Amino acid sequence: MSLHSFIQAMPKADVGLHFEGALTRDLLDLLSEQNDIPTSMKPSQYRDLMSQLDKPDAKRIYEIAGRIAKWILFPDDLTRSIYEIGLNLHKQNIRYAEMQLSPSIYSTMPFETFLNAINDGRDRLWRAWKVRVNWILCIPRDDPRSGDDIARYTATPLARRGNVLGLGLNSVRANRDAVKRTTSVGARRTTTMTATAEADDIQPSGQFKRPFVNTQKRDIPTLSAAHNYPKQETVREIIENLNPSRLTEVGEALQHEEGLLGLLAERQTACVATPSRDLRLNKLASLRDYPYQKYYQQLNLSLSASMPTFYRTTLTDEMILAVEYGDLGVDEIEGLALNAIRHSFLPADEKAALLDYFSAAYVSLRREHLGH
């Protein structure tokens, strides 16, 4: 037994997971075949998208994630996708996740249909494996026009009953420049989106201020990605414009934006990091250069797989890498794991119950795997 086996066995939570970045290659192959995706685009376009799953271009990850998500055409596709992603969470002993997903990508479905579909997958996942998932509805940064609608959906009683906990802003692209194509499958007709041009540039955070302010007025928590900002916009400006209670994928900005670490420490902002992201996107030469200890000591930090299909990682991998490259010990690993619950958007009583459950499990697992 070892610290590695302890990490694999410990119950965990991931509060930075992107649905569109967690669709596995096997699942996408199935969706492609079932929904006859290759006929909806030029062969070269289809080959390009599939090649990006094997060797993603760092500059196109958020565009590609949005494009392949459009292969989900029917509510059953969403339900199955949630279940399959959740099964991968179960295999890592992830007991709780807050999953970001963008309703505007699935705009051929009415919001109620979309919400019912993802909750059907959620319910099946809970019954089968006791993995709990809640939702963060996100505005894509290339689609400010959808911001008010998504904020309005987030605040509805329907969404609250449907396990939606918050509003987010992320860099997965809605790809509004695609061309509509109507097809028939049995008695059903649907509209697919065929890529014909590059996605619009992501937009400055100021364009999303109104939906964030309106959501926060209703005491609904918000988050934002801390990367991929256009031109010279800084994360400090994102914070000033949006005042998010949680920032995801913070590593790249922390290493390049002067004074950001001190600002986040002062504000006690919840921060979610995915060091493998920075490595895969060539923002980091080696994980030995990643200041795990410094970030852990100064920030309210947790780890996430974020977009596991593209970053070739899992939450378990991220924790093991923190031990191997960051010299973190069992106390720090437990601290990172418990921070994910503390950073969650769950009600206070549910947070407390999960913290108690995780903490008690860690005591038992320490004896079993570490002998103390």
Side-chain angles (χ1 to χ4, degrees), residues 55 196 280 296 317:
K55 191 175 181 180
T196 60
R280 300 284 186 260
Y296 177 78
D317 291 338

Side-chain angles (χ1 to χ4, degrees), residues 139 145 325:
I139 310 167
R145 292 172 295 176
Y325 291 95

Side-chain angles (χ1 to χ4, degrees), residues 2 80 103-104 146 163-164 178 192 242 249 260 269 321 325:
S2 65
R80 177 167 190 154
S104 60
S146 70
N163 308 299
V164 174
T192 60
L242 305 181
E249 298 183 334
L260 180 61
T269 302
L321 291 171
Y325 291 95

Side-chain angles (χ1 to χ4, degrees), residues 111-125:
F111 179 67
E112 186 170 0
T113 301
F114 165 83
L115 194 60
N116 286 340
I118 60 176
N119 279 308
D120 188 7
R122 176 188 189 269
D123 292 344
R124 294 182 191 188
L125 181 62

Side-chain angles (χ1 to χ4, degrees), residues 30-266:
L30 178 64
L31 291 171
S32 174
E33 180 180 357
Q34 287 184 342
N35 294 336
D36 202 19
I37 297 300
T39 65
S40 69
M41 61 183 69
K42 294 179 181 179
S44 60
Q45 292 172 333
Y46 180 74
R47 288 195 300 270
D48 173 54
L49 288 176
M50 295 306 287
S51 70
Q52 289 297 316
L53 299 176
D54 298 321
K55 191 175 181 180
D57 179 346
K59 295 180 180 179
R60 297 183 62 201
I61 281 178
Y62 305 106
E63 171 214 340
I64 298 301
R67 292 202 188 285
I68 61 175
K70 292 185 188 299
W71 298 2
I72 294 174
L73 304 182
F74 306 110
D76 287 351
D77 297 339
L78 267 175
T79 298
R80 177 167 190 154
S81 297
I82 294 296
Y83 181 86
E84 293 294 335
I85 291 171
L87 181 57
N88 286 333
L89 300 181
H90 162 70
K91 291 174 181 177
Q92 300 175 66
N93 287 311
I94 294 176
R95 303 297 180 85
Y96 179 70
E98 289 180 358
M99 194 177 298
Q100 302 174 46
L101 66 178
S102 302
S104 60
I105 290 178
Y106 316 97
S107 56
T108 57
M109 296 183 205
F111 179 67
E112 186 170 0
T113 301
F114 165 83
L115 194 60
N116 286 340
I118 60 176
N119 279 308
D120 188 7
R122 176 188 189 269
D123 292 344
R124 294 182 191 188
L125 181 62
W126 174 254
R127 289 194 301 268
W129 305 110
K130 294 298 183 281
V131 175
R132 182 180 177 192
V133 179
N134 289 323
W135 317 115
I136 310 297
L137 300 186
C138 285
I139 310 167
R141 279 198 74 167
D142 69 333
D143 190 22
R145 292 172 295 176
S146 70
D148 289 333
D149 285 342
I150 294 174
R152 187 162 51 249
Y153 295 153
T154 302
T156 61
L158 175 67
R160 310 312 287 168
R161 293 192 301 270
N163 308 299
V164 174
L165 297 187
L167 176 74
L169 178 67
N170 68 28
S171 296
V172 174
R173 309 293 180 85
N175 297 308
R176 288 295 193 180
D177 57 333
V179 173
K180 291 184 179 180
R181 177 181 184 272
T182 302
T183 60
S184 295
V185 180
R188 299 179 294 181
R189 288 176 63 80
T190 187
T191 299
T192 60
M193 306 298 286
T194 303
T196 60
E198 290 300 315
D200 295 336
D201 289 337
I202 55 175
Q203 301 299 309
S205 60
Q207 293 204 34
F208 305 91
K209 184 172 183 176
R210 183 171 64 187
F212 266 67
V213 169
N214 289 339
T215 299
Q216 290 158 355
K217 285 179 179 177
R218 295 176 171 87
D219 295 323
I220 297 172
T222 58
L223 65 80
S224 175
H227 63 83
N228 235 25
Y229 35 90
K231 298 180 181 178
Q232 298 303 313
E233 184 179 37
T234 63
V235 174
R236 183 182 294 270
E237 289 172 297
I238 292 175
I239 293 170
E240 290 172 354
N241 284 324
L242 305 181
N243 191 32
S245 46
R246 189 160 82 215
L247 281 172
T248 62
E249 298 183 334
V250 298
E252 176 187 350
L254 282 169
Q255 295 192 61
H256 296 100
E257 187 171 325
E258 185 177 354
L260 180 61
L261 179 63
L263 175 66
L264 295 177
E266 179 183 347

Side-chain angles (χ1 to χ4, degrees), residues 3 288 292-293 320-330 332:
L3 185 50
R288 297 193 185 282
Y292 286 96
Q293 288 280 359
I320 289 174
L321 291 171
V323 171
E324 292 179 348
Y325 291 95
D327 294 325
L328 298 189
V330 63
E332 290 90 349

